[in-house]
Amino acid sequence: MKTRIISGLIMAPLLVVLYFRGIPLALATFIVGAIGIYELFEGFKKLDIKPNIFIAEGMLILLYFIHFLVPGRLDYIMAWIVLSIVASGVSIFTVEKHKIEDALATLIGIVYVGFLSYHMAMIDETSYGILVWMVAIVAFGTDIAAYFTGYFLGKHKLCPNLSPKKTIEGAIGGVLGALILGIIFGLIFKIKIFPHIILMSIIGSVLSQLGDLTASAFKRKMGIKDYGNLIPGHGGILDRFDSVLFAAPAIYYYIQLAIAK
Amino acid sequence: MKTRIISGLIMAPLLVVLYFRGIPLALATFIVGAIGIYELFEGFKKLDIKPNIFIAEGMLILLYFIHFLVPGRLDYIMAWIVLSIVASGVSIFTVEKHKIEDALATLIGIVYVGFLSYHMAMIDETSYGILVWMVAIVAFGTDIAAYFTGYFLGKHKLCPNLSPKKTIEGAIGGVLGALILGIIFGLIFKIKIFPHIILMSIIGSVLSQLGDLTASAFKRKMGIKDYGNLIPGHGGILDRFDSVLFAAPAIYYYIQLAIAK
């Protein structure tokens, strides 16, 4: 439990980034994406899969060029996704040196880590940019509430083969924790989209937990416990941000599809 | 050469679909996507990779629901891409039964086949819908011109390890063939975006050839000659449409980024 609290505190610099938003936030998500791709690809190496890190990091840099040069243009971002598919395909043209899995893993690095984390910066570009806070509140609130609920009340295993310590009670506690924190956030910042705050908290919390479990499934198949050791004793960037990868798009598309229009 | 000509003729029904566009075109791209995903997944099985066809076909159906219910909304399509990533991740939660490659292959089926082919329907939604013809002209024009140029003039191998019969002369002939056909198309239909027609033909032809080579790389790694046998003696849907998968997005994003705005 001590490590869990310490690793929570280590996230404190994140608060500064969320406060300033704009360029600091975009740079922070870029750094998370760049290190995350590296960590994921190190994991793939354990399976003898060798994705192309130059293509993946190059595509990530291109994404942030698009972000700063033509902000808010979804057609450019979609063109970037297609270009990522093309580049991943071309990366195995030297067929004798590469497996098909190398191309698949290259693309996963780009879209799963780079594109999903980029949604933090995309939220910031909407007229509800303050809701980047919701991602942090929901993702880390779920994580902490699920941990403590599971610790004190956990009885029924959620998915023992995938993540043996997780319980159904913990999962429910995680959603409730996110909901309570989301409501408090809405009250303090007087956000006038109140029924939406409740739905965003619940959907965001469920997606956070799916993000956590997806990362667990990947790590289990790679035969590793953590993605890295960037924060000594507390895993890598991807271990910290696995739930954000799914929670950030949940909040972004909620804003776009249910609130903004 | 005979089979090449016959398989060209088999594409004739495509002309009818391109003429009517609208719903017939969307249904045709849906069918190509649905069969293409099946063929690709059969290929993956040769590598002992087992993607989840229910998730992939389900996501494809959802894409066309979005197409008909909220046409032209790129934010919905991006949300759909994210949902495809989430669903592919969730598909291997039963870790003991699945490899990480199964999730990667599921996602590739959705985005490489389903999403890329969908760009035909997306072109149709723009104010330059008639340019769906450009995709067919460029993709099949490149294919035929490259074949004949290579047959008569081919001397220098393009990438012997990947596709032994292709030559540099054929590749150049393919671009020139697409360019000539593109210009004729522009003149006949009096399309008033003339410098764009030239650029679209060249870019589309290069992407067509990359699409063809990417499919070759995939098939070579799967140890298969063709993706299927739907058209007896002339391969599967994916063998016929491999270049369209890359050419359609090339034309779509050219319209969106260079012409429309």
Side-chain angles (χ1 to χ4, degrees), chain A residues 79-135:
Chain A
W80 172 86
I81 293 172
V82 170
L83 198 60
S84 300
I85 300 171
V86 173
S88 301
V90 171
S91 76
I92 59 160
F93 275 13
T94 49
V95 274
E96 63 281 14
K97 289 184 203 157
H98 289 290
K99 298 194 292 183
I100 199 167
E101 292 88 336
D102 299 348
L104 309 189
T106 303
L107 183 63
I108 284 287
I110 300 169
V111 296
Y112 167 66
V113 181
F115 176 54
L116 295 190
S117 60
Y118 174 63
H119 282 79
M120 284 294 277
M122 287 171 75
I123 294 170
D124 194 27
E125 273 180 347
T126 69
S127 19
Y128 299 85
I130 193 156
L131 295 180
V132 291
W133 282 96
M134 275 299 282
V135 179

Short mmCIF file of all heavy atoms in Angstrom, two decimals, chain A residues 79-135:
data_model
loop_
_atom_site.label_atom_id
_atom_site.label_comp_id
_atom_site.label_asym_id
_atom_site.label_seq_id
_atom_site.Cartn_x
_atom_site.Cartn_y
_atom_site.Cartn_z
N ALA A 79 -6.04 11.49 -41.67
CA ALA A 79 -5.02 11.25 -42.71
C ALA A 79 -3.76 10.69 -42.05
O ALA A 79 -3.10 9.79 -42.59
CB ALA A 79 -4.71 12.54 -43.46
N TRP A 80 -3.45 11.21 -40.86
CA TRP A 80 -2.28 10.74 -40.11
C TRP A 80 -2.45 9.26 -39.71
O TRP A 80 -1.48 8.48 -39.77
CB TRP A 80 -2.08 11.64 -38.89
CG TRP A 80 -1.03 11.16 -37.94
CD1 TRP A 80 0.32 11.41 -38.01
CD2 TRP A 80 -1.23 10.35 -36.78
NE1 TRP A 80 0.95 10.79 -36.97
CE2 TRP A 80 0.03 10.14 -36.20
CE3 TRP A 80 -2.36 9.78 -36.18
CZ2 TRP A 80 0.21 9.39 -35.04
CZ3 TRP A 80 -2.18 9.02 -35.03
CH2 TRP A 80 -0.92 8.83 -34.47
N ILE A 81 -3.65 8.87 -39.32
CA ILE A 81 -3.89 7.46 -38.97
C ILE A 81 -3.65 6.57 -40.19
O ILE A 81 -2.98 5.53 -40.10
CB ILE A 81 -5.33 7.26 -38.42
CG1 ILE A 81 -5.49 7.98 -37.08
CG2 ILE A 81 -5.67 5.77 -38.27
CD1 ILE A 81 -6.92 8.02 -36.55
N VAL A 82 -4.19 7.00 -41.35
CA VAL A 82 -4.00 6.21 -42.57
C VAL A 82 -2.51 6.13 -42.92
O VAL A 82 -1.99 5.06 -43.26
CB VAL A 82 -4.80 6.81 -43.75
CG1 VAL A 82 -4.41 6.17 -45.06
CG2 VAL A 82 -6.29 6.65 -43.51
N LEU A 83 -1.81 7.26 -42.80
CA LEU A 83 -0.37 7.27 -43.09
C LEU A 83 0.38 6.32 -42.14
O LEU A 83 1.35 5.67 -42.54
CB LEU A 83 0.17 8.70 -42.95
CG LEU A 83 1.51 8.99 -43.61
CD1 LEU A 83 1.47 8.72 -45.11
CD2 LEU A 83 1.95 10.43 -43.35
N SER A 84 -0.09 6.22 -40.90
CA SER A 84 0.52 5.29 -39.95
C SER A 84 0.34 3.84 -40.40
O SER A 84 1.25 3.02 -40.27
CB SER A 84 -0.10 5.46 -38.55
OG SER A 84 0.09 6.77 -38.08
N ILE A 85 -0.85 3.54 -40.96
CA ILE A 85 -1.11 2.19 -41.48
C ILE A 85 -0.17 1.91 -42.66
O ILE A 85 0.47 0.86 -42.72
CB ILE A 85 -2.59 2.03 -41.91
CG1 ILE A 85 -3.52 2.26 -40.71
CG2 ILE A 85 -2.83 0.64 -42.52
CD1 ILE A 85 -5.01 2.33 -41.09
N VAL A 86 -0.09 2.90 -43.58
CA VAL A 86 0.77 2.73 -44.76
C VAL A 86 2.23 2.54 -44.33
O VAL A 86 2.91 1.60 -44.78
CB VAL A 86 0.64 3.95 -45.71
CG1 VAL A 86 1.66 3.88 -46.84
CG2 VAL A 86 -0.78 4.05 -46.28
N ALA A 87 2.70 3.40 -43.42
CA ALA A 87 4.10 3.33 -42.99
C ALA A 87 4.41 2.01 -42.30
O ALA A 87 5.49 1.42 -42.50
CB ALA A 87 4.43 4.51 -42.07
N SER A 88 3.46 1.51 -41.51
CA SER A 88 3.67 0.23 -40.83
C SER A 88 3.75 -0.91 -41.85
O SER A 88 4.57 -1.83 -41.70
CB SER A 88 2.54 -0.05 -39.84
OG SER A 88 2.47 0.98 -38.88
N GLY A 89 2.92 -0.84 -42.88
CA GLY A 89 2.97 -1.84 -43.95
C GLY A 89 4.30 -1.80 -44.68
O GLY A 89 4.97 -2.82 -44.87
N VAL A 90 4.72 -0.57 -45.06
CA VAL A 90 5.98 -0.40 -45.80
C VAL A 90 7.18 -0.87 -44.96
O VAL A 90 8.17 -1.35 -45.51
CB VAL A 90 6.14 1.08 -46.24
CG1 VAL A 90 7.52 1.34 -46.81
CG2 VAL A 90 5.06 1.44 -47.27
N SER A 91 7.03 -0.78 -43.62
CA SER A 91 8.16 -1.12 -42.73
C SER A 91 8.61 -2.57 -42.87
O SER A 91 9.71 -2.92 -42.45
CB SER A 91 7.81 -0.83 -41.27
OG SER A 91 6.94 -1.82 -40.75
N ILE A 92 7.76 -3.44 -43.43
CA ILE A 92 8.19 -4.85 -43.58
C ILE A 92 8.40 -5.23 -45.04
O ILE A 92 8.34 -6.40 -45.40
CB ILE A 92 7.22 -5.84 -42.88
CG1 ILE A 92 5.80 -5.73 -43.44
CG2 ILE A 92 7.23 -5.66 -41.38
CD1 ILE A 92 4.95 -6.97 -43.17
N PHE A 93 8.67 -4.22 -45.89
CA PHE A 93 8.95 -4.53 -47.30
C PHE A 93 10.23 -5.36 -47.45
O PHE A 93 10.38 -6.11 -48.40
CB PHE A 93 9.05 -3.25 -48.13
CG PHE A 93 7.70 -2.76 -48.62
CD1 PHE A 93 6.53 -3.28 -48.11
CD2 PHE A 93 7.61 -1.79 -49.60
CE1 PHE A 93 5.29 -2.83 -48.54
CE2 PHE A 93 6.38 -1.34 -50.05
CZ PHE A 93 5.22 -1.86 -49.52
N THR A 94 11.17 -5.19 -46.53
CA THR A 94 12.33 -6.07 -46.51
C THR A 94 11.90 -7.36 -45.81
O THR A 94 12.26 -7.62 -44.67
CB THR A 94 13.50 -5.41 -45.75
OG1 THR A 94 12.98 -4.94 -44.51
CG2 THR A 94 14.09 -4.26 -46.54
N VAL A 95 11.10 -8.15 -46.55
CA VAL A 95 10.42 -9.30 -45.94
C VAL A 95 11.33 -10.32 -45.29
O VAL A 95 10.96 -10.95 -44.31
CB VAL A 95 9.52 -10.07 -46.96
CG1 VAL A 95 8.16 -9.44 -47.04
CG2 VAL A 95 10.16 -10.18 -48.31
N GLU A 96 12.52 -10.48 -45.84
CA GLU A 96 13.38 -11.52 -45.29
C GLU A 96 13.81 -11.19 -43.85
O GLU A 96 14.12 -12.07 -43.07
CB GLU A 96 14.59 -11.80 -46.20
CG GLU A 96 15.56 -10.65 -46.40
CD GLU A 96 15.07 -9.61 -47.41
OE1 GLU A 96 13.88 -9.61 -47.76
OE2 GLU A 96 15.88 -8.77 -47.81
N LYS A 97 13.80 -9.88 -43.50
CA LYS A 97 14.26 -9.47 -42.17
C LYS A 97 13.12 -9.34 -41.16
O LYS A 97 13.37 -9.20 -39.98
CB LYS A 97 14.97 -8.11 -42.26
CG LYS A 97 16.32 -8.14 -42.94
CD LYS A 97 16.95 -6.76 -42.88
CE LYS A 97 17.98 -6.56 -43.97
NZ LYS A 97 18.19 -5.14 -44.27
N HIS A 98 11.87 -9.30 -41.65
CA HIS A 98 10.78 -8.96 -40.76
C HIS A 98 9.64 -9.96 -40.77
O HIS A 98 9.40 -10.63 -41.77
CB HIS A 98 10.22 -7.58 -41.10
CG HIS A 98 11.14 -6.48 -40.74
ND1 HIS A 98 11.40 -6.13 -39.45
CD2 HIS A 98 11.89 -5.65 -41.52
CE1 HIS A 98 12.27 -5.14 -39.44
NE2 HIS A 98 12.59 -4.83 -40.67
N LYS A 99 8.94 -10.01 -39.64
CA LYS A 99 7.72 -10.78 -39.56
C LYS A 99 6.54 -9.84 -39.73
O LYS A 99 6.67 -8.63 -39.53
CB LYS A 99 7.62 -11.45 -38.17
CG LYS A 99 8.75 -12.43 -37.88
CD LYS A 99 8.42 -13.29 -36.68
CE LYS A 99 8.41 -12.45 -35.40
NZ LYS A 99 8.15 -13.29 -34.21
N ILE A 100 5.38 -10.40 -40.05
CA ILE A 100 4.17 -9.58 -40.18
C ILE A 100 3.83 -8.94 -38.83
O ILE A 100 3.35 -7.82 -38.76
CB ILE A 100 3.00 -10.44 -40.72
CG1 ILE A 100 1.90 -9.55 -41.30
CG2 ILE A 100 2.43 -11.38 -39.67
CD1 ILE A 100 0.89 -10.35 -42.13
N GLU A 101 4.15 -9.65 -37.75
CA GLU A 101 3.88 -9.14 -36.41
C GLU A 101 4.63 -7.83 -36.14
O GLU A 101 4.17 -6.99 -35.35
CB GLU A 101 4.28 -10.16 -35.33
CG GLU A 101 3.41 -11.41 -35.30
CD GLU A 101 3.88 -12.52 -36.22
OE1 GLU A 101 4.58 -12.24 -37.22
OE2 GLU A 101 3.55 -13.68 -35.94
N ASP A 102 5.80 -7.66 -36.79
CA ASP A 102 6.56 -6.43 -36.60
C ASP A 102 5.75 -5.22 -37.08
O ASP A 102 5.75 -4.16 -36.43
CB ASP A 102 7.89 -6.49 -37.36
CG ASP A 102 8.78 -7.64 -36.89
OD1 ASP A 102 8.47 -8.23 -35.83
OD2 ASP A 102 9.77 -7.95 -37.56
N ALA A 103 5.07 -5.39 -38.22
CA ALA A 103 4.24 -4.30 -38.76
C ALA A 103 3.04 -4.03 -37.86
O ALA A 103 2.70 -2.88 -37.58
CB ALA A 103 3.77 -4.64 -40.17
N LEU A 104 2.40 -5.12 -37.39
CA LEU A 104 1.22 -4.96 -36.52
C LEU A 104 1.62 -4.23 -35.24
O LEU A 104 0.91 -3.34 -34.77
CB LEU A 104 0.61 -6.32 -36.17
CG LEU A 104 0.28 -7.30 -37.30
CD1 LEU A 104 -0.52 -8.49 -36.76
CD2 LEU A 104 -0.50 -6.64 -38.41
N ALA A 105 2.76 -4.62 -34.66
CA ALA A 105 3.20 -4.02 -33.40
C ALA A 105 3.59 -2.56 -33.60
O ALA A 105 3.36 -1.72 -32.72
CB ALA A 105 4.36 -4.83 -32.82
N THR A 106 4.18 -2.24 -34.76
CA THR A 106 4.54 -0.84 -35.03
C THR A 106 3.27 0.01 -35.02
O THR A 106 3.21 1.07 -34.38
CB THR A 106 5.23 -0.72 -36.41
OG1 THR A 106 6.37 -1.57 -36.43
CG2 THR A 106 5.67 0.72 -36.68
N LEU A 107 2.24 -0.48 -35.71
CA LEU A 107 0.98 0.28 -35.78
C LEU A 107 0.32 0.40 -34.41
O LEU A 107 -0.20 1.46 -34.05
CB LEU A 107 0.01 -0.39 -36.77
CG LEU A 107 -1.30 0.36 -36.99
CD1 LEU A 107 -1.05 1.73 -37.59
CD2 LEU A 107 -2.25 -0.43 -37.86
N ILE A 108 0.37 -0.68 -33.62
CA ILE A 108 -0.22 -0.63 -32.28
C ILE A 108 0.49 0.41 -31.42
O ILE A 108 -0.15 1.16 -30.68
CB ILE A 108 -0.13 -2.03 -31.60
CG1 ILE A 108 -1.19 -2.95 -32.20
CG2 ILE A 108 -0.32 -1.93 -30.10
CD1 ILE A 108 -2.61 -2.64 -31.76
N GLY A 109 1.80 0.47 -31.52
CA GLY A 109 2.55 1.48 -30.77
C GLY A 109 2.07 2.88 -31.12
O GLY A 109 1.83 3.71 -30.24
N ILE A 110 1.86 3.12 -32.42
CA ILE A 110 1.44 4.45 -32.87
C ILE A 110 0.03 4.76 -32.40
O ILE A 110 -0.22 5.82 -31.81
CB ILE A 110 1.52 4.55 -34.42
CG1 ILE A 110 2.95 4.31 -34.90
CG2 ILE A 110 1.01 5.92 -34.88
CD1 ILE A 110 3.07 4.14 -36.42
N VAL A 111 -0.91 3.84 -32.64
CA VAL A 111 -2.32 4.20 -32.35
C VAL A 111 -2.70 3.97 -30.88
O VAL A 111 -3.35 4.82 -30.28
CB VAL A 111 -3.33 3.50 -33.29
CG1 VAL A 111 -3.14 3.94 -34.73
CG2 VAL A 111 -3.28 1.99 -33.17
N TYR A 112 -2.26 2.85 -30.31
CA TYR A 112 -2.66 2.55 -28.93
C TYR A 112 -1.99 3.52 -27.95
O TYR A 112 -2.64 4.10 -27.08
CB TYR A 112 -2.33 1.09 -28.61
CG TYR A 112 -2.38 0.68 -27.15
CD1 TYR A 112 -3.58 0.68 -26.45
CD2 TYR A 112 -1.24 0.30 -26.47
CE1 TYR A 112 -3.63 0.31 -25.12
CE2 TYR A 112 -1.27 -0.08 -25.14
CZ TYR A 112 -2.47 -0.07 -24.46
OH TYR A 112 -2.51 -0.44 -23.14
N VAL A 113 -0.70 3.74 -28.09
CA VAL A 113 -0.02 4.65 -27.16
C VAL A 113 -0.09 6.10 -27.66
O VAL A 113 -0.58 6.98 -26.96
CB VAL A 113 1.46 4.23 -26.94
CG1 VAL A 113 2.13 5.19 -25.95
CG2 VAL A 113 1.55 2.80 -26.44
N GLY A 114 0.39 6.33 -28.89
CA GLY A 114 0.53 7.70 -29.37
C GLY A 114 -0.80 8.40 -29.60
O GLY A 114 -1.03 9.51 -29.12
N PHE A 115 -1.70 7.74 -30.32
CA PHE A 115 -2.98 8.36 -30.68
C PHE A 115 -3.90 8.48 -29.46
O PHE A 115 -4.51 9.52 -29.23
CB PHE A 115 -3.64 7.57 -31.80
CG PHE A 115 -5.00 8.06 -32.21
CD1 PHE A 115 -5.21 9.37 -32.57
CD2 PHE A 115 -6.08 7.18 -32.23
CE1 PHE A 115 -6.48 9.82 -32.95
CE2 PHE A 115 -7.35 7.62 -32.60
CZ PHE A 115 -7.54 8.94 -32.96
N LEU A 116 -4.00 7.41 -28.66
CA LEU A 116 -4.93 7.47 -27.53
C LEU A 116 -4.48 8.52 -26.50
O LEU A 116 -5.30 9.28 -26.01
CB LEU A 116 -5.07 6.09 -26.86
CG LEU A 116 -5.73 4.98 -27.71
CD1 LEU A 116 -6.03 3.76 -26.85
CD2 LEU A 116 -7.00 5.46 -28.39
N SER A 117 -3.18 8.58 -26.19
CA SER A 117 -2.73 9.57 -25.21
C SER A 117 -2.92 10.99 -25.75
O SER A 117 -3.15 11.94 -24.99
CB SER A 117 -1.27 9.33 -24.82
OG SER A 117 -0.43 9.43 -25.94
N TYR A 118 -2.84 11.14 -27.07
CA TYR A 118 -3.02 12.46 -27.69
C TYR A 118 -4.40 13.05 -27.42
O TYR A 118 -4.60 14.27 -27.50
CB TYR A 118 -2.77 12.34 -29.20
CG TYR A 118 -3.05 13.60 -29.97
CD1 TYR A 118 -2.31 14.76 -29.74
CD2 TYR A 118 -4.07 13.65 -30.93
CE1 TYR A 118 -2.57 15.93 -30.44
CE2 TYR A 118 -4.34 14.81 -31.63
CZ TYR A 118 -3.59 15.94 -31.38
OH TYR A 118 -3.86 17.09 -32.07
N HIS A 119 -5.37 12.20 -27.08
CA HIS A 119 -6.72 12.71 -26.80
C HIS A 119 -6.74 13.71 -25.64
O HIS A 119 -7.67 14.52 -25.54
CB HIS A 119 -7.70 11.56 -26.55
CG HIS A 119 -8.13 10.88 -27.82
ND1 HIS A 119 -7.34 9.97 -28.48
CD2 HIS A 119 -9.26 11.01 -28.57
CE1 HIS A 119 -7.97 9.55 -29.58
NE2 HIS A 119 -9.13 10.16 -29.65
N MET A 120 -5.75 13.67 -24.74
CA MET A 120 -5.66 14.68 -23.69
C MET A 120 -5.54 16.06 -24.33
O MET A 120 -6.23 17.01 -23.95
CB MET A 120 -4.44 14.41 -22.80
CG MET A 120 -4.59 13.28 -21.82
SD MET A 120 -5.85 13.60 -20.55
CE MET A 120 -4.89 14.57 -19.37
N ALA A 121 -4.64 16.17 -25.32
CA ALA A 121 -4.45 17.45 -26.00
C ALA A 121 -5.68 17.81 -26.83
O ALA A 121 -6.01 18.99 -27.00
CB ALA A 121 -3.20 17.39 -26.88
N MET A 122 -6.38 16.79 -27.33
CA MET A 122 -7.58 17.06 -28.12
C MET A 122 -8.71 17.61 -27.26
O MET A 122 -9.46 18.49 -27.69
CB MET A 122 -8.05 15.77 -28.82
CG MET A 122 -7.15 15.35 -29.98
SD MET A 122 -7.57 13.70 -30.61
CE MET A 122 -9.08 14.06 -31.51
N ILE A 123 -8.83 17.10 -26.02
CA ILE A 123 -9.84 17.63 -25.10
C ILE A 123 -9.58 19.11 -24.87
O ILE A 123 -10.48 19.94 -24.89
CB ILE A 123 -9.81 16.87 -23.75
CG1 ILE A 123 -10.24 15.42 -23.93
CG2 ILE A 123 -10.72 17.57 -22.71
CD1 ILE A 123 -10.01 14.54 -22.70
N ASP A 124 -8.30 19.44 -24.68
CA ASP A 124 -7.89 20.81 -24.39
C ASP A 124 -8.28 21.77 -25.52
O ASP A 124 -8.49 22.96 -25.29
CB ASP A 124 -6.38 20.82 -24.17
CG ASP A 124 -5.91 22.12 -23.53
OD1 ASP A 124 -6.72 22.74 -22.82
OD2 ASP A 124 -4.76 22.50 -23.77
N GLU A 125 -8.40 21.25 -26.74
CA GLU A 125 -8.75 22.09 -27.90
C GLU A 125 -10.25 22.36 -28.00
O GLU A 125 -10.66 23.24 -28.76
CB GLU A 125 -8.32 21.38 -29.20
CG GLU A 125 -6.90 21.64 -29.60
CD GLU A 125 -6.55 20.91 -30.89
OE1 GLU A 125 -7.32 20.02 -31.30
OE2 GLU A 125 -5.50 21.21 -31.45
N THR A 126 -11.07 21.57 -27.29
CA THR A 126 -12.51 21.80 -27.35
C THR A 126 -12.87 23.01 -26.49
O THR A 126 -12.03 23.54 -25.77
CB THR A 126 -13.30 20.57 -26.83
OG1 THR A 126 -13.09 20.47 -25.41
CG2 THR A 126 -12.85 19.29 -27.50
N SER A 127 -14.14 23.41 -26.54
CA SER A 127 -14.56 24.54 -25.68
C SER A 127 -14.74 24.09 -24.23
O SER A 127 -15.08 24.90 -23.37
CB SER A 127 -15.83 25.19 -26.22
OG SER A 127 -16.51 24.34 -27.09
N TYR A 128 -14.53 22.81 -23.96
CA TYR A 128 -14.61 22.29 -22.59
C TYR A 128 -13.25 21.78 -22.13
O TYR A 128 -13.14 20.73 -21.51
CB TYR A 128 -15.66 21.18 -22.50
CG TYR A 128 -17.05 21.63 -22.85
CD1 TYR A 128 -17.48 21.67 -24.17
CD2 TYR A 128 -17.91 22.08 -21.86
CE1 TYR A 128 -18.75 22.12 -24.49
CE2 TYR A 128 -19.18 22.52 -22.16
CZ TYR A 128 -19.60 22.54 -23.49
OH TYR A 128 -20.85 23.00 -23.80
N GLY A 129 -12.20 22.56 -22.47
CA GLY A 129 -10.83 22.14 -22.20
C GLY A 129 -10.57 21.81 -20.74
O GLY A 129 -9.72 20.98 -20.42
N ILE A 130 -11.34 22.47 -19.83
CA ILE A 130 -11.13 22.22 -18.40
C ILE A 130 -11.38 20.75 -18.04
O ILE A 130 -10.89 20.26 -17.01
CB ILE A 130 -12.02 23.15 -17.54
CG1 ILE A 130 -11.56 23.09 -16.08
CG2 ILE A 130 -13.49 22.78 -17.68
CD1 ILE A 130 -11.92 24.29 -15.27
N LEU A 131 -12.11 20.04 -18.92
CA LEU A 131 -12.44 18.64 -18.62
C LEU A 131 -11.24 17.69 -18.77
O LEU A 131 -11.37 16.50 -18.49
CB LEU A 131 -13.62 18.17 -19.46
CG LEU A 131 -14.95 18.87 -19.16
CD1 LEU A 131 -16.07 18.33 -20.04
CD2 LEU A 131 -15.35 18.72 -17.69
N VAL A 132 -10.05 18.22 -19.15
CA VAL A 132 -8.86 17.36 -19.05
C VAL A 132 -8.68 16.91 -17.61
O VAL A 132 -8.17 15.82 -17.34
CB VAL A 132 -7.55 18.03 -19.55
CG1 VAL A 132 -7.58 18.24 -21.06
CG2 VAL A 132 -7.26 19.31 -18.82
N TRP A 133 -9.13 17.76 -16.67
CA TRP A 133 -9.10 17.38 -15.25
C TRP A 133 -9.93 16.12 -14.98
O TRP A 133 -9.59 15.33 -14.11
CB TRP A 133 -9.63 18.53 -14.38
CG TRP A 133 -8.63 19.61 -14.18
CD1 TRP A 133 -8.54 20.76 -14.89
CD2 TRP A 133 -7.60 19.65 -13.20
NE1 TRP A 133 -7.50 21.52 -14.42
CE2 TRP A 133 -6.90 20.87 -13.37
CE3 TRP A 133 -7.17 18.79 -12.18
CZ2 TRP A 133 -5.81 21.24 -12.59
CZ3 TRP A 133 -6.09 19.16 -11.39
CH2 TRP A 133 -5.42 20.36 -11.61
N MET A 134 -11.04 16.01 -15.71
CA MET A 134 -11.91 14.84 -15.52
C MET A 134 -11.15 13.54 -15.82
O MET A 134 -11.38 12.53 -15.17
CB MET A 134 -13.14 14.92 -16.42
CG MET A 134 -14.29 15.71 -15.85
SD MET A 134 -14.95 15.02 -14.30
CE MET A 134 -15.93 13.65 -14.93
N VAL A 135 -10.29 13.59 -16.84
CA VAL A 135 -9.52 12.38 -17.19
C VAL A 135 -8.66 11.95 -16.01
O VAL A 135 -8.67 10.79 -15.60
CB VAL A 135 -8.65 12.60 -18.44
CG1 VAL A 135 -7.84 11.34 -18.76
CG2 VAL A 135 -9.49 13.02 -19.63
#
